[in-house]
Coordinates of all heavy atoms in Angstrom, one line a residue:
M1 N 0.8 -1.2 0.0 CA -0.1 0.0 -0.1 C 0.9 1.2 0.0 O 1.8 1.3 0.8 CB -0.9 0.0 1.3 CG -1.8 1.2 1.3 SD -3.2 0.7 2.3 CE -3.4 1.9 3.5
N2 N 0.7 2.1 -0.9 CA 1.4 3.4 -1.0 C 1.0 4.4 0.1 O -0.2 4.5 0.3 CB 1.2 4.0 -2.4 CG 2.0 3.3 -3.5 OD1 2.9 2.6 -3.2 ND2 1.6 3.6 -4.6
K3 N 2.0 4.9 0.8 CA 1.8 6.1 1.6 C 1.9 7.4 0.9 O 2.8 7.7 0.4 CB 2.7 6.0 2.8 CG 2.7 4.7 3.6 CD 3.4 4.8 4.9 CE 4.9 4.7 4.4 NZ 5.8 4.6 5.5
V4 N 0.7 8.1 0.9 CA 0.5 9.4 0.2 C 0.3 10.5 1.2 O -0.5 10.4 2.0 CB -0.5 9.4 -0.9 CG1 -0.6 10.7 -1.7 CG2 -0.3 8.2 -1.9
A5 N 1.1 11.6 1.0 CA 1.0 12.7 1.8 C 0.5 13.9 1.0 O 1.1 14.1 -0.2 CB 2.2 13.1 2.6
I6 N -0.4 14.7 1.5 CA -0.8 16.0 0.7 C -0.2 17.1 1.4 O -0.2 17.3 2.6 CB -2.4 16.1 0.8 CG1 -3.1 14.9 0.3 CG2 -2.8 17.4 0.1 CD1 -3.0 14.7 -1.2
Y7 N 0.4 18.1 0.6 CA 1.0 19.2 1.0 C 0.4 20.5 0.5 O 0.8 20.9 -0.6 CB 2.4 19.2 0.8 CG 3.3 20.4 1.6 CD1 2.8 21.0 2.6 CD2 4.6 20.8 1.0 CE1 3.5 22.0 3.3 CE2 5.2 21.8 1.7 CZ 4.7 22.4 2.7 OH 5.5 23.4 3.4
P8 N -0.8 20.9 1.0 CA -1.5 22.1 0.5 C -0.9 23.4 0.8 O -0.3 23.6 1.9 CB -2.9 21.8 1.0 CG -2.7 21.2 2.4 CD -1.4 20.4 2.2
G9 N -1.0 24.3 0.0 CA -0.5 25.6 0.3 C -0.6 26.6 -0.9 O -1.0 26.2 -2.0
T10 N -0.4 27.9 -0.7 CA -0.4 28.9 -1.9 C 0.9 28.8 -2.6 O 0.9 29.0 -3.8 CB -0.6 30.2 -1.3 OG1 0.4 30.6 -0.4 CG2 -2.0 30.3 -0.7
F11 N 2.0 28.5 -1.9 CA 3.3 28.5 -2.5 C 3.6 29.8 -3.4 O 3.9 29.7 -4.6 CB 3.5 27.2 -3.4 CG 3.4 26.0 -2.5 CD1 2.2 25.3 -2.6 CD2 4.3 25.6 -1.7 CE1 2.0 24.1 -1.8 CE2 4.1 24.4 -0.8 CZ 3.0 23.7 -0.9
D12 N 3.3 30.9 -2.8 CA 3.4 32.2 -3.5 C 4.4 33.0 -2.9 O 4.2 34.1 -2.2 CB 2.0 32.8 -3.4 CG 1.8 34.1 -4.2 OD1 2.4 34.0 -5.3 OD2 1.1 35.0 -3.9
P13 N 5.6 32.8 -3.2 CA 6.2 31.8 -3.9 C 6.7 30.6 -3.0 O 6.7 30.7 -1.7 CB 7.5 32.4 -4.6 CG 7.9 33.4 -3.6 CD 6.6 34.0 -3.0
I14 N 7.3 29.5 -3.5 CA 7.8 28.4 -2.7 C 9.0 29.0 -2.0 O 9.7 29.8 -2.6 CB 8.1 27.2 -3.7 CG1 8.4 26.0 -2.7 CG2 9.2 27.5 -4.6 CD1 8.4 24.8 -3.5
T15 N 9.1 28.5 -0.8 CA 10.3 28.9 0.0 C 11.2 27.8 0.4 O 10.9 26.6 0.2 CB 9.9 29.6 1.3 OG1 9.2 28.7 2.1 CG2 8.9 30.8 1.1
Y16 N 12.4 28.1 1.0 CA 13.3 27.0 1.6 C 12.5 26.2 2.6 O 12.8 25.0 2.7 CB 14.6 27.7 2.1 CG 15.5 28.2 1.0 CD1 15.9 29.4 1.0 CD2 15.9 27.3 0.0 CE1 16.7 30.0 0.0 CE2 16.8 27.8 -1.0 CZ 17.2 29.1 -0.9 OH 18.1 29.6 -1.9
G17 N 11.7 26.9 3.4 CA 10.9 26.2 4.4 C 10.0 25.1 3.7 O 9.9 23.9 4.2
H18 N 9.3 25.5 2.7 CA 8.5 24.5 2.0 C 9.4 23.4 1.4 O 9.0 22.1 1.5 CB 7.7 25.3 0.7 CG 6.8 26.2 1.1 ND1 6.8 27.5 0.5 CD2 5.8 26.3 1.9 CE1 5.9 28.3 0.9 NE2 5.2 27.5 1.8
I19 N 10.4 23.7 0.9 CA 11.3 22.6 0.2 C 11.8 21.7 1.3 O 11.8 20.5 1.1 CB 12.5 23.3 -0.6 CG1 11.8 24.1 -1.9 CG2 13.5 22.3 -0.9 CD1 12.8 24.9 -2.6
D20 N 12.1 22.2 2.5 CA 12.6 21.4 3.6 C 11.5 20.4 3.9 O 11.8 19.1 4.2 CB 12.9 22.3 4.8 CG 13.6 21.5 5.8 OD1 14.6 20.7 5.5 OD2 13.4 21.7 7.0
V21 N 10.3 20.8 4.2 CA 9.2 19.9 4.4 C 9.0 18.9 3.4 O 8.8 17.8 3.7 CB 7.8 20.8 4.6 CG1 6.6 19.8 4.8 CG2 8.0 21.7 5.8
I22 N 9.1 19.3 2.1 CA 8.9 18.2 1.1 C 10.1 17.2 1.1 O 9.9 16.0 1.0 CB 8.9 18.9 -0.4 CG1 7.6 19.8 -0.5 CG2 9.0 18.0 -1.5 CD1 7.6 20.8 -1.6
K23 N 11.3 17.6 1.2 CA 12.4 16.7 1.4 C 12.3 15.8 2.5 O 12.5 14.5 2.4 CB 13.8 17.5 1.5 CG 14.2 18.1 0.2 CD 15.6 18.9 0.6 CE 16.2 19.3 -0.7 NZ 17.6 19.9 -0.4
K24 N 11.9 16.2 3.6 CA 11.7 15.4 4.8 C 10.5 14.4 4.6 O 10.6 13.3 5.0 CB 11.4 16.2 6.1 CG 12.7 16.9 6.5 CD 12.5 17.8 7.7 CE 13.7 18.5 8.2 NZ 13.6 19.4 9.4
A25 N 9.4 14.9 3.9 CA 8.3 14.1 3.6 C 8.6 12.9 2.7 O 8.1 11.8 2.8 CB 7.2 14.8 3.1
L26 N 9.6 13.2 1.8 CA 10.0 12.1 0.8 C 10.7 10.9 1.5 O 10.6 9.8 1.0 CB 11.0 12.7 -0.2 CG 10.2 13.7 -1.2 CD1 11.4 14.3 -2.1 CD2 9.3 12.9 -2.1
K27 N 11.2 11.2 2.7 CA 11.8 10.0 3.5 C 10.7 9.2 4.1 O 11.0 8.1 4.5 CB 12.8 10.6 4.5 CG 14.0 11.4 3.9 CD 14.8 12.0 4.9 CE 16.0 12.8 4.2 NZ 16.8 13.5 5.4
L28 N 9.7 9.8 4.3 CA 8.6 9.1 5.1 C 7.5 8.4 4.2 O 6.7 7.6 4.6 CB 7.9 10.0 6.1 CG 8.9 10.6 7.2 CD1 8.2 11.7 7.9 CD2 9.4 9.5 8.1
F29 N 7.3 9.1 3.0 CA 6.1 8.7 2.2 C 6.5 8.2 0.9 O 7.5 8.7 0.4 CB 5.1 9.9 2.2 CG 4.6 10.3 3.4 CD1 5.1 11.5 4.1 CD2 3.5 9.6 4.1 CE1 4.7 11.9 5.3 CE2 3.1 10.0 5.3 CZ 3.8 11.2 5.9
D30 N 5.7 7.4 0.2 CA 5.9 6.9 -1.1 C 5.8 8.0 -2.2 O 6.4 8.1 -3.2 CB 5.1 5.7 -1.5 CG 5.4 4.6 -0.6 OD1 6.6 4.3 -0.3 OD2 4.4 3.9 -0.1
K31 N 4.7 8.9 -1.9 CA 4.3 10.0 -2.9 C 4.0 11.3 -2.1 O 3.2 11.1 -1.0 CB 3.3 9.6 -3.7 CG 2.9 10.5 -4.9 CD 2.0 9.9 -5.9 CE 2.3 10.3 -7.3 NZ 3.4 9.8 -8.1
V32 N 4.3 12.4 -2.5 CA 4.0 13.7 -1.9 C 3.2 14.4 -3.0 O 3.8 14.7 -4.1 CB 5.2 14.5 -1.3 CG1 4.8 15.8 -0.8 CG2 5.8 13.7 -0.3
V33 N 2.0 14.9 -2.8 CA 1.2 15.7 -3.6 C 1.3 17.0 -3.2 O 0.8 17.5 -2.1 CB -0.2 15.2 -3.7 CG1 -1.0 16.0 -4.7 CG2 -0.3 13.7 -4.0
V34 N 2.0 17.9 -3.8 CA 2.2 19.4 -3.6 C 1.0 20.0 -4.3 O 0.9 20.1 -5.5 CB 3.5 19.9 -4.1 CG1 3.6 21.4 -3.9 CG2 4.7 19.2 -3.5
S35 N 0.1 20.5 -3.4 CA -1.2 21.1 -3.9 C -1.2 22.6 -3.9 O -1.3 23.1 -2.7 CB -2.4 20.5 -3.1 OG -2.2 19.2 -3.0
V36 N -1.2 23.2 -5.1 CA -1.0 24.7 -5.1 C -2.5 25.2 -5.2 O -3.3 24.9 -6.1 CB -0.3 25.1 -6.4 CG1 -0.3 26.6 -6.5 CG2 1.1 24.4 -6.3
S37 N -2.9 26.0 -4.2 CA -4.3 26.6 -4.0 C -4.5 27.5 -5.1 O -3.7 28.3 -5.6 CB -4.4 27.3 -2.7 OG -5.6 27.8 -2.6
D38 N -5.7 27.4 -5.7 CA -6.2 28.3 -6.8 C -7.5 29.0 -6.4 O -8.4 29.1 -7.2 CB -6.3 27.4 -8.0 CG -6.6 28.4 -9.3 OD1 -6.3 29.6 -9.1 OD2 -7.1 27.8 -10.2
V39 N -7.7 29.3 -5.2 CA -8.9 30.1 -4.6 C -8.8 31.5 -5.1 O -7.8 32.2 -5.0 CB -8.9 30.0 -3.1 CG1 -10.1 30.8 -2.7 CG2 -8.9 28.6 -2.6
S40 N -9.8 31.9 -5.8 CA -9.8 33.2 -6.5 C -10.1 34.4 -5.5 O -9.9 35.6 -6.0 CB -10.8 33.2 -7.6 OG -12.1 33.1 -7.0
N41 N -10.4 34.2 -4.3 CA -10.7 35.3 -3.4 C -9.5 35.9 -2.7 O -9.5 36.7 -1.8 CB -11.8 34.9 -2.5 CG -11.4 33.9 -1.5 OD1 -10.3 33.3 -1.6 ND2 -12.2 33.6 -0.4
K42 N -8.3 35.5 -3.1 CA -7.0 36.0 -2.5 C -6.3 36.7 -3.5 O -6.3 36.5 -4.7 CB -6.3 34.8 -2.0 CG -6.8 34.1 -0.7 CD -5.8 33.1 -0.2 CE -6.3 32.6 1.1 NZ -5.3 31.6 1.7
N43 N -5.4 37.7 -3.0 CA -4.5 38.4 -3.9 C -3.1 37.7 -3.9 O -2.5 37.7 -2.9 CB -4.4 39.8 -3.5 CG -5.8 40.6 -3.6 OD1 -6.5 40.4 -4.5 ND2 -6.0 41.5 -2.7
Y44 N -2.8 37.1 -5.0 CA -1.6 36.4 -5.1 C -0.5 37.3 -5.9 O -0.9 38.0 -6.7 CB -1.7 35.0 -5.9 CG -2.6 34.1 -5.2 CD1 -3.8 33.7 -5.8 CD2 -2.3 33.5 -4.0 CE1 -4.7 32.8 -5.1 CE2 -3.1 32.5 -3.3 CZ -4.3 32.2 -4.0 OH -5.1 31.3 -3.3
L45 N 0.7 37.0 -5.5 CA 1.8 37.6 -6.3 C 1.9 37.1 -7.6 O 2.1 37.8 -8.7 CB 3.2 37.5 -5.5 CG 4.4 38.1 -6.0 CD1 4.2 39.6 -6.1 CD2 5.6 37.8 -5.1
F46 N 1.8 35.7 -7.7 CA 1.8 35.0 -9.1 C 0.4 34.3 -9.2 O -0.1 33.8 -8.2 CB 2.9 34.0 -9.1 CG 4.3 34.6 -8.8 CD1 4.9 34.5 -7.6 CD2 5.0 35.3 -9.9 CE1 6.1 35.1 -7.4 CE2 6.3 35.8 -9.7 CZ 6.8 35.8 -8.5
N47 N 0.0 34.1 -10.4 CA -1.2 33.3 -10.7 C -0.8 31.9 -10.5 O 0.2 31.4 -10.4 CB -1.8 33.6 -12.1 CG -0.9 33.2 -13.3 OD1 -0.3 32.2 -13.2 ND2 -0.8 34.0 -14.3
S48 N -1.9 31.1 -10.5 CA -1.7 29.6 -10.2 C -0.8 28.9 -11.2 O 0.1 28.1 -10.8 CB -3.2 29.0 -10.3 OG -3.1 27.5 -10.2
K49 N -0.9 29.2 -12.5 CA -0.1 28.6 -13.5 C 1.3 28.9 -13.2 O 2.3 28.1 -13.3 CB -0.5 29.0 -14.9 CG 0.2 28.3 -16.0 CD -0.2 28.8 -17.3 CE 0.6 28.1 -18.5 NZ 0.2 28.6 -19.8
E50 N 1.7 30.2 -13.0 CA 3.0 30.6 -12.6 C 3.5 29.9 -11.4 O 4.7 29.5 -11.4 CB 3.1 32.2 -12.5 CG 2.8 32.9 -13.7 CD 2.7 34.4 -13.5 OE1 2.1 34.7 -12.5 OE2 3.2 35.1 -14.4
R51 N 2.8 29.8 -10.4 CA 3.2 29.2 -9.1 C 3.5 27.7 -9.4 O 4.5 27.2 -8.9 CB 2.2 29.3 -8.0 CG 2.2 30.8 -7.5 CD 1.2 31.0 -6.4 NE -0.1 31.2 -7.0 CZ -1.3 30.6 -6.5 NH1 -1.2 29.8 -5.4 NH2 -2.5 30.8 -7.1
I52 N 2.8 27.1 -10.1 CA 3.1 25.6 -10.5 C 4.3 25.6 -11.3 O 5.1 24.6 -11.0 CB 1.9 25.0 -11.2 CG1 0.6 24.8 -10.3 CG2 2.3 23.7 -11.9 CD1 -0.6 24.4 -11.0
E53 N 4.6 26.4 -12.2 CA 5.8 26.5 -13.0 C 7.1 26.7 -12.1 O 8.0 26.0 -12.2 CB 5.8 27.5 -14.1 CG 4.9 27.1 -15.3 CD 4.7 28.2 -16.1 OE1 5.4 29.3 -16.1 OE2 3.9 28.1 -17.1
I54 N 6.9 27.6 -11.1 CA 8.0 27.9 -10.2 C 8.3 26.7 -9.3 O 9.4 26.4 -9.0 CB 7.6 29.2 -9.3 CG1 7.6 30.5 -10.2 CG2 8.6 29.4 -8.2 CD1 7.0 31.6 -9.5
V55 N 7.3 26.1 -8.8 CA 7.3 24.9 -7.9 C 8.1 23.8 -8.7 O 9.0 23.2 -8.2 CB 6.0 24.4 -7.3 CG1 6.2 23.1 -6.6 CG2 5.5 25.4 -6.4
N56 N 7.6 23.4 -9.9 CA 8.2 22.5 -10.7 C 9.7 22.8 -11.0 O 10.6 21.9 -10.9 CB 7.4 22.4 -12.1 CG 6.2 21.5 -11.9 OD1 6.2 20.5 -11.2 ND2 5.1 21.9 -12.6
K57 N 10.0 24.0 -11.3 CA 11.3 24.4 -11.6 C 12.2 24.2 -10.4 O 13.2 23.6 -10.5 CB 11.5 25.8 -12.0 CG 12.8 26.2 -12.5 CD 12.9 27.7 -12.9 CE 14.2 28.1 -13.4 NZ 15.2 28.2 -12.2
A58 N 11.7 24.6 -9.2 CA 12.5 24.5 -8.0 C 12.7 23.1 -7.6 O 13.9 22.7 -7.3 CB 11.8 25.3 -6.9
L59 N 11.8 22.2 -7.8 CA 11.8 20.8 -7.3 C 12.6 19.9 -8.2 O 13.4 19.1 -7.9 CB 10.4 20.2 -7.0 CG 9.7 20.9 -5.9 CD1 8.3 20.3 -5.7 CD2 10.4 20.9 -4.5
F60 N 12.3 20.1 -9.5 CA 12.7 19.1 -10.4 C 13.9 19.6 -11.3 O 14.8 18.9 -11.5 CB 11.6 18.7 -11.5 CG 10.4 18.2 -10.7 CD1 9.2 18.7 -11.0 CD2 10.5 17.2 -9.8 CE1 8.1 18.3 -10.3 CE2 9.4 16.7 -9.2 CZ 8.2 17.2 -9.4
K61 N 14.0 20.9 -11.6 CA 15.2 21.4 -12.4 C 16.3 21.7 -11.5 O 17.4 21.3 -11.8 CB 14.8 22.5 -13.3 CG 15.9 23.0 -14.2 CD 15.4 24.1 -15.2 CE 16.6 24.5 -16.1 NZ 16.3 25.8 -16.9
D62 N 16.0 22.5 -10.5 CA 17.1 23.1 -9.6 C 17.6 21.9 -8.6 O 18.7 21.7 -8.5 CB 16.6 24.3 -8.8 CG 16.3 25.5 -9.8 OD1 16.8 25.5 -10.9 OD2 15.6 26.3 -9.3
L63 N 16.7 21.4 -7.9 CA 17.0 20.4 -6.8 C 17.1 19.0 -7.4 O 17.6 18.0 -6.7 CB 16.0 20.4 -5.8 CG 15.9 21.7 -5.0 CD1 14.8 21.8 -4.0 CD2 17.3 22.0 -4.3
K64 N 16.6 18.7 -8.5 CA 16.6 17.4 -9.2 C 15.9 16.3 -8.3 O 16.5 15.2 -8.2 CB 18.0 17.0 -9.6 CG 18.8 18.0 -10.3 CD 19.2 17.6 -11.7 CE 20.1 18.6 -12.4 NZ 19.5 19.7 -12.9
L65 N 14.8 16.6 -7.7 CA 14.1 15.6 -6.9 C 13.4 14.6 -7.8 O 13.2 14.9 -9.0 CB 13.1 16.3 -5.9 CG 13.8 17.2 -4.8 CD1 12.7 17.9 -4.1 CD2 14.8 16.4 -4.0
D66 N 13.0 13.4 -7.2 CA 12.3 12.4 -8.0 C 11.0 12.7 -8.5 O 10.1 12.8 -7.6 CB 12.4 11.1 -7.1 CG 12.0 9.9 -8.0 OD1 11.7 10.0 -9.1 OD2 12.1 8.9 -7.4
K67 N 10.8 12.9 -9.8 CA 9.5 13.2 -10.3 C 8.5 12.1 -10.1 O 7.2 12.2 -10.1 CB 9.6 13.5 -11.8 CG 10.1 14.8 -12.1 CD 10.1 15.0 -13.7 CE 10.9 16.2 -14.0 NZ 10.7 16.6 -15.5
K68 N 9.0 10.9 -9.8 CA 8.0 9.7 -9.7 C 7.4 9.8 -8.2 O 6.3 9.2 -8.0 CB 8.8 8.4 -9.9 CG 9.2 8.2 -11.2 CD 10.1 6.9 -11.3 CE 10.7 6.7 -12.6 NZ 11.7 5.7 -12.7
K69 N 8.1 10.5 -7.3 CA 7.6 10.6 -6.0 C 6.9 11.8 -5.6 O 6.3 12.1 -4.5 CB 8.8 10.4 -5.0 CG 9.4 9.0 -5.0 CD 10.4 8.9 -3.9 CE 9.6 8.7 -2.7 NZ 10.4 8.2 -1.5
I70 N 6.8 12.8 -6.5 CA 6.2 14.2 -6.2 C 5.3 14.5 -7.3 O 5.5 14.3 -8.5 CB 7.3 15.3 -6.1 CG1 8.3 15.0 -5.0 CG2 6.5 16.6 -5.8 CD1 9.4 15.9 -5.0
L71 N 4.1 14.9 -6.9 CA 3.0 15.3 -7.9 C 2.6 16.8 -7.6 O 2.3 17.0 -6.4 CB 1.8 14.4 -7.9 CG 0.6 14.7 -8.8 CD1 1.1 14.7 -10.3 CD2 -0.5 13.8 -8.5
V72 N 2.7 17.7 -8.5 CA 2.4 19.1 -8.3 C 1.1 19.3 -9.0 O 1.0 19.1 -10.2 CB 3.5 20.0 -8.8 CG1 3.1 21.4 -8.6 CG2 4.9 19.7 -8.1
V73 N 0.1 19.7 -8.2 CA -1.3 19.9 -8.8 C -1.9 21.2 -8.3 O -1.5 21.8 -7.3 CB -2.3 18.8 -8.5 CG1 -1.8 17.5 -9.0 CG2 -2.5 18.7 -7.0
S74 N -2.9 21.7 -9.1 CA -3.6 23.0 -8.6 C -4.9 22.4 -8.0 O -5.5 21.4 -8.5 CB -3.8 23.8 -9.9 OG -4.7 24.9 -9.5
F75 N -5.4 23.1 -7.0 CA -6.7 22.7 -6.5 C -7.5 24.0 -6.0 O -6.9 25.0 -5.6 CB -6.6 21.7 -5.4 CG -6.2 22.2 -4.1 CD1 -7.1 22.3 -3.0 CD2 -4.9 22.7 -3.9 CE1 -6.8 22.9 -1.8 CE2 -4.6 23.1 -2.5 CZ -5.5 23.3 -1.6
N76 N -8.8 23.8 -6.1 CA -9.6 25.0 -5.6 C -10.8 24.4 -4.8 O -11.8 25.0 -4.6 CB -10.1 25.8 -6.6 CG -11.0 25.2 -7.7 OD1 -11.2 24.0 -7.6 ND2 -11.4 25.8 -8.7
S77 N -10.6 23.1 -4.2 CA -11.7 22.5 -3.5 C -11.2 22.5 -2.0 O -10.1 23.0 -1.6 CB -11.9 21.1 -3.9 OG -10.7 20.4 -3.9
L78 N -12.0 21.7 -1.2 CA -11.5 21.4 0.2 C -10.3 20.6 0.2 O -10.2 19.6 -0.7 CB -12.7 20.8 1.0 CG -13.9 21.7 1.3 CD1 -15.0 20.9 1.9 CD2 -13.5 22.9 2.1
T79 N -9.5 20.7 1.1 CA -8.2 19.8 1.3 C -8.7 18.4 1.5 O -8.1 17.4 1.0 CB -7.4 20.3 2.4 OG1 -7.0 21.7 2.2 CG2 -6.1 19.5 2.4
T80 N -9.8 18.2 2.2 CA -10.2 16.8 2.6 C -10.8 16.0 1.2 O -10.6 14.9 1.0 CB -11.5 16.8 3.5 OG1 -12.4 17.7 3.0 CG2 -11.0 17.2 4.9
D81 N -11.3 16.9 0.2 CA -11.6 16.4 -1.1 C -10.4 16.0 -1.8 O -10.4 14.8 -2.5 CB -12.4 17.4 -1.9 CG -13.8 17.7 -1.3 OD1 -14.3 16.8 -0.6 OD2 -14.2 18.8 -1.6
L82 N -9.3 16.7 -1.7 CA -8.0 16.3 -2.3 C -7.5 15.1 -1.7 O -7.0 14.2 -2.4 CB -7.1 17.5 -2.0 CG -6.0 17.7 -3.0 CD1 -6.4 17.8 -4.4 CD2 -5.1 18.9 -2.6
C83 N -7.7 14.9 -0.4 CA -7.2 13.7 0.3 C -7.9 12.4 -0.2 O -7.3 11.4 -0.4 CB -7.4 13.7 1.8 SG -6.2 14.9 2.6
K84 N -9.3 12.6 -0.4 CA -10.0 11.4 -0.9 C -9.7 11.2 -2.3 O -9.5 9.9 -2.7 CB -11.5 11.8 -0.8 CG -12.1 11.8 0.5 CD -13.5 12.2 0.4 CE -14.1 12.6 1.9 NZ -15.4 13.1 1.9
K85 N -9.4 12.1 -3.1 CA -9.0 12.0 -4.6 C -7.7 11.2 -4.6 O -7.6 10.3 -5.5 CB -8.9 13.3 -5.3 CG -8.4 13.2 -6.7 CD -8.3 14.5 -7.4 CE -8.0 14.4 -8.8 NZ -8.0 15.8 -9.6
Y86 N -6.7 11.4 -3.9 CA -5.4 10.9 -3.9 C -5.1 9.8 -2.9 O -4.1 9.2 -2.7 CB -4.2 11.8 -3.8 CG -4.2 12.8 -5.0 CD1 -4.8 14.1 -4.9 CD2 -3.8 12.3 -6.2 CE1 -4.8 14.9 -6.1 CE2 -3.7 13.2 -7.3 CZ -4.3 14.5 -7.2 OH -4.3 15.2 -8.3
K87 N -6.3 9.4 -2.2 CA -6.3 8.2 -1.2 C -5.3 8.4 -0.2 O -4.4 7.6 0.2 CB -6.1 6.9 -1.9 CG -7.3 6.6 -2.8 CD -7.1 5.2 -3.5 CE -8.2 4.9 -4.3 NZ -8.4 5.5 -5.6
S88 N -5.2 9.7 0.4 CA -4.3 10.1 1.4 C -4.9 10.3 2.8 O -6.1 10.8 2.8 CB -3.5 11.3 1.1 OG -2.7 11.8 2.1
N89 N -4.3 10.0 3.9 CA -4.9 10.2 5.2 C -3.9 11.2 6.0 O -3.9 11.3 7.2 CB -5.3 9.1 6.0 CG -4.2 8.2 6.2 OD1 -3.0 8.4 5.8 ND2 -4.5 7.0 7.0
V90 N -2.9 11.8 5.3 CA -1.9 12.6 5.8 C -1.8 13.9 5.1 O -1.8 14.1 3.9 CB -0.5 11.9 5.7 CG1 0.5 12.9 6.3 CG2 -0.5 10.6 6.4
I91 N -1.9 15.1 5.9 CA -1.8 16.4 5.5 C -0.5 17.0 6.1 O -0.4 17.0 7.3 CB -3.0 17.3 5.8 CG1 -4.3 16.7 5.1 CG2 -2.7 18.7 5.3 CD1 -5.5 17.4 5.5
L92 N 0.4 17.4 5.3 CA 1.6 18.0 5.7 C 1.4 19.5 6.1 O 0.8 20.2 5.3 CB 2.8 17.9 4.8 CG 3.2 16.5 4.4 CD1 4.2 16.4 3.2 CD2 3.6 15.7 5.5
R93 N 2.0 20.0 7.1 CA 2.0 21.5 7.6 C 3.3 21.7 8.2 O 3.9 21.0 8.8 CB 0.8 21.7 8.5 CG -0.5 21.6 7.9 CD -0.8 22.3 6.6 NE -0.7 23.8 6.6 CZ -0.4 24.5 5.6 NH1 -0.3 23.9 4.4 NH2 -0.2 25.8 5.6

């Protein structure tokens, strides 16, 4: 059984703190779903598409982390709905 963790946030922009949480989670879980919030009622520095591109660049191009173990997605639903979708019972904070 795969252990999946959801890491929801705005990631506007991604920080070293976010990256540290992701790296530590990779040691504990088979897959980490980095969920970029796309709620329209907030004022973001970058739009959702830009934030996803920044996260992907930071994790995969700069840090060369395993693409098989990390999934970067956009979401605008409840985090619990995201957990059900990816069959996860762990939320990283």
Side-chain angles (χ1 to χ4, degrees):
M1 180 154 129
N2 285 342
K3 295 186 289 182
V4 179
I6 304 290
Y7 188 23
T10 59
F11 303 100
D12 190 31
I14 192 166
T15 65
Y16 288 121
H18 295 129
I19 291 169
D20 190 47
V21 169
I22 293 166
K23 283 181 169 180
K24 288 178 181 177
L26 289 173
K27 295 176 185 175
L28 299 171
F29 301 98
D30 299 317
K31 187 169 218 75
V32 176
V33 180
V34 178
S35 311
V36 179
S37 176
D38 189 21
V39 179
S40 61
N41 64 351
K42 290 189 176 181
N43 293 326
Y44 297 113
L45 185 60
F46 300 101
N47 67 39
S48 176
K49 185 179 176 184
E50 290 171 324
R51 286 181 281 138
I52 289 173
E53 288 173 7
I54 292 167
V55 170
N56 280 322
K57 182 180 181 295
L59 298 179
F60 305 126
K61 187 176 179 191
D62 296 341
L63 297 171
K64 310 240 186 291
L65 296 178
D66 190 356
K67 288 184 180 183
K68 295 175 189 169
K69 292 190 74 169
I70 302 172
L71 177 64
V72 180
V73 297
S74 175
F75 80 105
N76 59 3
S77 63
L78 295 174
T79 306
T80 54
D81 293 338
L82 205 58
C83 290
K84 289 176 188 173
K85 180 178 180 178
Y86 292 102
K87 296 179 175 76
S88 172
N89 59 359
V90 176
I91 298 173
L92 301 174
R93 290 309 304 154

